[in-house]
Amino acid sequence: MEGQVFLLACIFTPLLGAFLLPLIGRFNVMARNICALGFVIIAFLAAAFLLPRAMSGDPLLIYMELPLGLSVGFLADGLAVFMAMTSSLVASVIVLYSFGYIEHYDNQNEYYLMVVLFIGAMMGLVFSTNLICIYTFWEISAICCWRLIGFYRDKDIIRRADKAFLMTVGGALLMLVGFIAIYIQSGTFDLLELKGTSMSNWVMVLVLFGILSKSATLPLHTWLPDAGVAPSPVTSLLHAAVLVKIGVYVFARLFLVNFELDVVWQTAVPIIAAVSALVSAGAALVENDIKRIIAYSTISQLAFIFLGLSCGNMVGAAGGLLYILMHSLAKGGLFLCAGVVEHSLHTKDIRQMGGLSKCLPVTCVAFALCAFSVMGIPPFGGFFSKYMVINGAWELDPWIAGVFIFGAVLTVVYLLRVFVKVFFGPVSHPDIREGSWEMVFSVALLGVLSLAFGIFINLPSKLVSFIIESIGRW
């Protein structure tokens, strides 16, 4: 009974608590902010309390059958708990950062409503055992994404928010058609009953459209760089902690745990990922908008995750899951650092920056720590995940592994370009200072965690190894 309380609290505290925030905000702004942070922290702590049982090999299941092959179920296995903890941890830091970032803007009640509802939708999705429930939470996240990208309400910004909404929802509708086809073939939407079955190629194409559109993979990636018009905590939430990770999570849930991934797709998905990694890395090399550069980097790094999850061996799959954690921490930190810079200079053009290490020393160090992790520099956490993914790819095809090694080199080049351009050279704005203590603490924490998870790599690697072993596919 205790485990069920934690599982329900993890999902419904942010999902339902979000709707209380505008009401609280009408009376006390600080109380609203604290409640928003508290709801997300409760989700993280509840997921952490579920971890020992998930690691024991006896995952908690709350399940209720409905007519017509429908069901409502929540399963707290290792994969779900891992994703819930990763998302809610980074989201907690982002909400804290928001205290200082958006305090002078309008629409704050709606902002906190959508952010916390976003997290609740993620929690519901990762624990769901039913394809229709997954789709429902998937679309709730799309609505939140749409409102958050359009936060500033400018005409061009609203157009870009609409673009993100239409692309992700369009892909999701095709995915829903695929889910319905699975129901027609099997008579159920229940993933527990579908475990071990196969998916026809045309259904796989439909499902992949939804996954790749949500996770911004070429050619369905163009909405993600445009989403950089949103506030920096929103872009961090979208690009690092939650939104784009929904796609890779569903891919892992469907094709690592439940369905058999056909040999054709073990080649096709890595090739799609390889093209996406190279094209987006090339775009990052020539872009001058700091948030668009980091956005293209996200597209490139997501390709590494898809590579690991699809290459069909234990090392690659473990690396793909580990990559989700390391990328969430480091890329979330990069976006928040970019937010400090943008907030201080009121520009995103790196050509108008320089020498900011003297004015923003904490942000400079935090950016460096997070960038080193994304680059895959030892002993940062990103090194171990990137090494495992490329090692797994080498077992699949040395040529594909070679492409991703080249992609990793490009990652070093474009992130060093940004770092040097922004933080070194002549001082462009000598009078600026660090942001609020919430912003500075948040970027510093994510930078430290990016290093700490590499130094103490045994802790996350044990969890990831358990998840892979519990799947029992290899």
Side-chain angles (χ1 to χ4, degrees), residues 360-377:
L360 308 175
V362 177
T363 302
C364 174
V365 173
F367 190 99
L369 294 175
C370 294
F372 288 155
S373 184
V374 175
M375 292 177 196
I377 306 297

Side-chain angles (χ1 to χ4, degrees), residues 360-426:
L360 308 175
V362 177
T363 302
C364 174
V365 173
F367 190 99
L369 294 175
C370 294
F372 288 155
S373 184
V374 175
M375 292 177 196
I377 306 297
F380 290 83
F383 165 76
F384 298 97
S385 56
K386 191 163 289 189
Y387 172 78
M388 292 171 68
V389 166
I390 293 176
N391 193 22
W394 191 272
E395 293 184 23
L396 174 68
D397 188 327
W399 285 103
I400 291 177
V403 171
F404 276 91
I405 291 172
F406 181 60
V409 173
L410 292 180
T411 302
V412 175
V413 174
Y414 65 68
L415 285 179
L416 280 179
R417 170 179 173 255
V418 173
F419 184 62
V420 172
K421 193 79 173 176
V422 173
F423 293 104
F424 293 96

Side-chain angles (χ1 to χ4, degrees), residues 64-343:
M64 181 175 65
E65 289 191 7
L66 300 173
L68 302 176
L70 300 177
S71 63
V72 176
F74 300 109
L75 176 67
D77 63 357
L79 177 59
V81 172
F82 170 75
M83 285 299 302
M85 290 182 64
T86 299
S87 299
S88 56
L89 171 62
V90 181
S92 298
V93 179
I94 292 170
V95 172
L96 176 63
Y97 177 96
S98 299
F99 290 2
Y101 190 94
I102 71 159
E103 63 180 346
H104 302 299
Y105 293 110
D106 297 328
N107 308 319
Q108 290 187 36
N109 285 339
E110 181 186 352
Y111 172 86
Y112 285 104
L113 163 65
M114 290 299 167
V115 166
V116 177
L117 181 61
F118 201 168
I119 304 306
M122 181 63 171
M123 297 302 102
L125 186 146
V126 300
F127 289 112
S128 289
T129 63
N130 183 280
L131 292 173
I132 295 300
C133 289
I134 287 175
Y135 172 78
T136 301
F137 288 118
W138 184 289
E139 294 295 56
I140 292 173
S141 74
I143 294 171
C144 297
C145 166
W146 173 53
R147 298 300 298 178
L148 289 170
I149 294 174
F151 175 78
Y152 292 128
R153 303 296 190 267
D154 180 82
K155 184 176 180 180
D156 180 62
I157 289 173
I158 292 173
R159 181 183 61 81
R160 297 187 185 204
D162 291 344
K163 176 182 178 180
F165 181 77
L166 291 173
M167 290 190 70
T168 55
V169 169
L173 289 173
L174 291 176
M175 184 178 69
L176 177 62
V177 174
F179 289 169
I180 293 171
I182 292 171
Y183 175 80
I184 293 172
Q185 294 172 4
S186 63
T188 183
F189 289 109
D190 192 340
L191 288 173
L192 300 177
E193 296 182 23
L194 290 167
K195 189 168 184 177
T197 60
S198 59
M199 185 184 294
S200 61
N201 284 336
W202 73 272
V203 175
M204 178 72 182
V205 170
L206 293 172
V207 173
L208 270 182
F209 262 105
I211 290 173
L212 297 182
S213 67
K214 188 71 99 177
S215 287
T217 301
L218 199 78
L220 304 173
H221 67 292
T222 57
W223 67 268
L224 193 65
D226 285 350
V229 296
S232 288
V234 171
T235 54
S236 183
L237 195 70
L238 302 184
H239 296 230
V242 183
L243 185 67
V244 295
K245 295 302 191 300
I246 288 176
V248 293
Y249 169 77
V250 170
F251 186 90
R253 173 60 67 187
L254 295 183
F255 304 113
L256 282 185
V257 179
N258 286 90
F259 295 96
E260 297 289 339
L261 187 62
D262 190 271
V263 176
V264 173
W265 295 104
Q266 290 181 14
T267 302
V269 173
I271 290 175
I272 294 170
V275 174
S276 184
L278 290 184
V279 171
S280 54
L285 281 171
V286 299
E287 181 60 64
N288 292 309
D289 183 313
I290 186 171
K291 290 172 75 174
R292 289 181 70 88
I293 293 170
I294 302 172
Y296 281 121
S297 175
T298 295
I299 298 168
S300 182
Q301 301 311 305
L302 287 171
F304 280 84
I305 299 174
F306 277 118
L307 172 67
L309 298 179
S310 63
C311 62
N313 54 64
M314 183 179 291
V315 174
L321 293 181
L322 195 61
Y323 215 116
I324 292 172
L325 170 62
M326 302 309 176
H327 180 262
S328 295
L329 294 169
K331 189 56 63 68
L334 287 181
F335 271 110
L336 296 186
C337 288
V340 173
V341 172
E342 179 197 7
H343 206 255

